[in-house]
Amino acid sequence: MVKYDTVLIRYGELSTKGKNRKTFVQKLLSNIKHTLKDMPNLEYRLTYERIYIKINGEDVDLLTERLKDVFGISSFSLTQKVESNIDTIVETCYQASLNEKGTFKVKARRNDKTFPFISDEINRKVASKILKETDHKVDVHDPDFMIYIEVFSDGTYITCNKIQGAKGYPTGINGKCLALLSGGIDSPVAGYLMMKRGIEIECIHYASPPYTSNMARQKVLDLASIISKYQGRIKVHIINFTDLQKAIYDNCPESYAITIMRRMMLRIADIVANKRDCIAISTGESLGQVASQTLESMRCINEVINIPVIRPLVTYDKEEIIDLAKKIKTFETSILPYEDCCTIFDPKNPVTKPTIRKAQELETHFDYQKYIDECVDTMETIIVDCSSKANEDFL
Ligand code: ATP
Ligand code: MG
């Protein structure tokens, strides 16, 4: 019987050259170590092309589940490490094939060029033993199972499985972004997609107590906690938006209230992003989804700041977003019926083609800067961690 003792991790090879490669791999390794930090017996080894983890009796199923969520891994395999000796390799591959059914293909890679057999010879020797001793047949085009062999000078890794990784880049190698997180379906998915591109996120949420409840606030923290598993932990900055929101409704016509509110949200996000060294802002906006997400609206809202605003979902259909939300397990929490600051003050006829000139004119009606300063000054920061639910940790 084969006994899987080592995990072999493959990462995106083409996109990682030179100095970038080193940063990529180091960050990937530290992210992997972070998700597996409660498994003290694991032993890590890094080579130019692979990361190896010696399992040493830790829970293989749990390990596999966790690794599937680490960005930057293209695929990984549970392998058995044996001596780099052709007879041992052939015997182990034969043993491994006994666990499998149907047709097979052998794929050897000779990383140690001093090994006396080239890849093709290894393939043939392994295949002929299996053909002779079992009922398995070879199918090189569409095999039911593969046997992968990687030969190194200090040992050979043998496996029949290849598990798809989460792809993308290791979270954190491409800088930090401030993600606008509401309690809705879209923004947690947008945050997830940012992390997938190697961006670390911090979140900002605008709450309007007492109009928005503690349950609504907890829902946002729970959403952050669900997606925090992709980067370990997430800082959530909560802005008390009530006074500013009231001032908007007191001073602007209802049709422009959402437009002005969004402009204020971005102004606040810009200040917080600067303070927190975030070099971009992200939102869950999707083109045409609601009145405030037409192209004209986006232009009018975007006008107030210069920092890049990234909208990963801009061309997605709602159904595609929902599928992703289900996949990352935020959907059930997102559809809990707690009011958001936008829904509380939901205007009847929001303008779909706001103009910058009109928005600027309306903003002269009140001293919004005073409210913005107050929002930033009273901001509260909470750290959420995937392993422990939101912990109220004031910074
Ligand atoms: P979501 O499902 O993300 O709430 P939505 O379709 O409901 O999106 P809107 O309510 O128009 O869309 O919000 C658009 C985007 O603005 C959100 O995706 C989010 O990034 C941001 N946003 C909206 N409300 C808030 C809030 N209260 N706090 C933080 N960000 C918000
Ligand atoms: Mg919303």
Side-chain angles (χ1 to χ4, degrees):
M1 282 296 283
V2 278
K3 188 178 161 296
Y4 293 132
D5 51 23
T6 309
V7 189
L8 178 160
I9 295 174
R10 306 173 191 86
Y11 38 84
E13 282 158 40
L14 295 173
S15 54
T16 52
K17 296 246 151 54
K19 187 167 162 283
N20 285 346
R21 180 184 194 101
K22 202 167 167 210
T23 321
F24 181 107
V25 178
Q26 288 299 342
K27 188 67 189 164
L28 179 59
L29 182 63
S30 89
N31 289 357
I32 291 172
K33 284 184 175 171
H34 186 83
T35 44
L36 304 176
K37 64 178 184 297
D38 55 350
M39 301 185 176
N41 296 319
L42 300 177
E43 272 175 65
Y44 297 87
R45 192 163 73 87
L46 191 63
T47 68
Y48 185 67
E49 292 191 310
R50 303 275 191 257
I51 291 171
Y52 298 89
I53 308 175
K54 201 155 173 227
I55 300 168
N56 290 331
E58 295 288 0
D59 182 339
V60 175
D61 292 338
L62 188 61
L63 185 86
T64 305
E65 279 317 301
R66 299 250 187 98
L67 285 178
K68 281 183 189 165
D69 288 331
V70 179
F71 292 129
I73 295 181
S74 65
S75 69
F76 63 99
S77 297
L78 300 169
T79 71
Q80 182 173 2
K81 186 178 181 189
V82 298
E83 203 187 320
S84 286
N85 161 304
I86 190 68
D87 293 337
T88 314
I89 293 171
V90 169
E91 178 61 22
T92 311
C93 291
Y94 160 67
Q95 293 292 337
S97 78
L98 297 179
N99 298 340
E100 308 291 332
K101 288 194 177 60
T103 56
F104 73 102
K105 177 179 175 180
V106 187
K107 195 170 174 191
R109 235 174 84 132
R110 190 182 59 143
N111 295 281
D112 170 18
K113 299 299 176 206
T114 66
F115 189 70
F117 301 91
I118 62 167
S119 304
D120 259 359
E121 288 170 320
I122 306 171
N123 288 341
R124 264 186 273 119
K125 281 182 186 293
V126 169
S128 57
K129 165 90 177 174
I130 295 172
L131 287 169
K132 201 165 117 205
E133 307 280 338
T134 72
D135 293 336
H136 296 312
K137 299 268 179 300
V138 171
D139 182 346
V140 289
H141 301 296
D142 187 22
D144 294 315
F145 70 95
M146 294 281 302
I147 299 178
Y148 299 97
I149 304 163
E150 299 209 359
V151 184
F152 290 90
S153 52
D154 72 327
T156 294
Y157 297 88
I158 292 169
T159 184
C160 289
N161 57 70
K162 194 170 196 175
I163 302 161
Q164 287 306 306
K167 313 277 193 295
Y169 295 98
T171 304
I173 55 160
N174 286 332
K176 201 161 68 166
C177 170
L178 186 66
L180 269 69
L181 184 68
S182 69
I185 296 170
D186 307 331
S187 47
V189 175
Y192 159 84
L193 290 173
M194 293 302 288
M195 290 188 273
K196 184 170 183 190
R197 299 319 291 169
I199 310 281
E200 181 187 343
I201 60 167
E202 293 195 7
C203 294
I204 185 166
H205 175 69
Y206 306 86
S208 295
Y211 304 101
T212 56
S213 66
N214 246 335
M215 306 281 267
R217 172 189 156 110
Q218 189 56 44
K219 175 182 168 182
V220 171
L221 295 177
D222 288 346
L223 286 169
S225 162
I226 295 169
I227 58 171
S228 72
K229 74 171 174 189
Y230 300 100
Q231 69 174 42
R233 47 197 227 150
I234 291 183
K235 285 195 177 124
V236 183
H237 307 291
I238 300 198
I239 299 288
N240 186 332
F241 205 48
T242 317
D243 291 344
L244 177 51
Q245 205 166 13
K246 277 186 178 162
I248 295 169
Y249 280 80
D250 287 345
N251 293 287
C252 305
E254 225 183 302
S255 61
Y256 260 77
I258 288 276
T259 306
I260 305 293
M261 187 181 85
R262 293 255 181 257
R263 285 164 62 97
M264 299 301 167
M265 281 183 173
L266 284 194
R267 285 188 173 105
I268 294 168
D270 187 28
I271 299 171
V272 175
N274 257 312
K275 277 185 180 231
R276 300 291 319 153
D277 294 327
C278 295
I279 51 181
I281 288 172
S282 72
T283 78
E285 288 163 298
S286 167
L287 205 48
Q289 202 183 78
V290 289
S292 62
Q293 296 178 26
T294 61
L295 213 47
E296 289 86 352
S297 260
M298 284 187 194
R299 174 166 182 252
C300 178
I301 292 163
N302 226 138
E303 183 251 344
V304 298
I305 55 171
N306 288 319
I307 186 169
V309 179
I310 300 180
R311 300 173 171 89
L313 301 174
V314 75
T315 61
Y316 281 43
D317 289 340
K318 194 76 190 183
E319 272 168 47
E320 294 172 307
I321 302 174
I322 289 175
D323 285 349
L324 265 177
K326 286 183 176 161
K327 185 181 139 196
I328 64 169
K329 304 203 165 52
T330 50
F331 184 72
E332 293 301 319
T333 305
S334 286
I335 58 174
L336 293 172
Y338 307 124
E339 300 282 6
D340 183 57
C341 68
C342 306
T343 36
I344 298 264
F345 297 90
D346 203 13
K348 308 280 166 311
N349 292 307
V351 60
T352 52
K353 294 187 177 179
T355 66
I356 291 175
R357 187 194 298 212
K358 175 84 177 168
Q360 285 173 342
E361 192 269 317
L362 291 172
E363 284 172 355
T364 62
H365 295 186
F366 68 114
D367 180 11
Y368 66 80
Q369 193 58 47
K370 181 186 85 182
Y371 292 102
I372 286 182
D373 292 345
E374 208 171 287
C375 281
V376 174
D377 289 345
T378 57
M379 179 176 93
E380 184 189 336
T381 298
I382 293 165
I383 297 177
V384 297
D385 195 307
C386 50
S387 44
S388 58
K389 280 265 170 173
N391 54 42
E392 303 257 337
D393 191 350
F394 299 90
L395 291 182

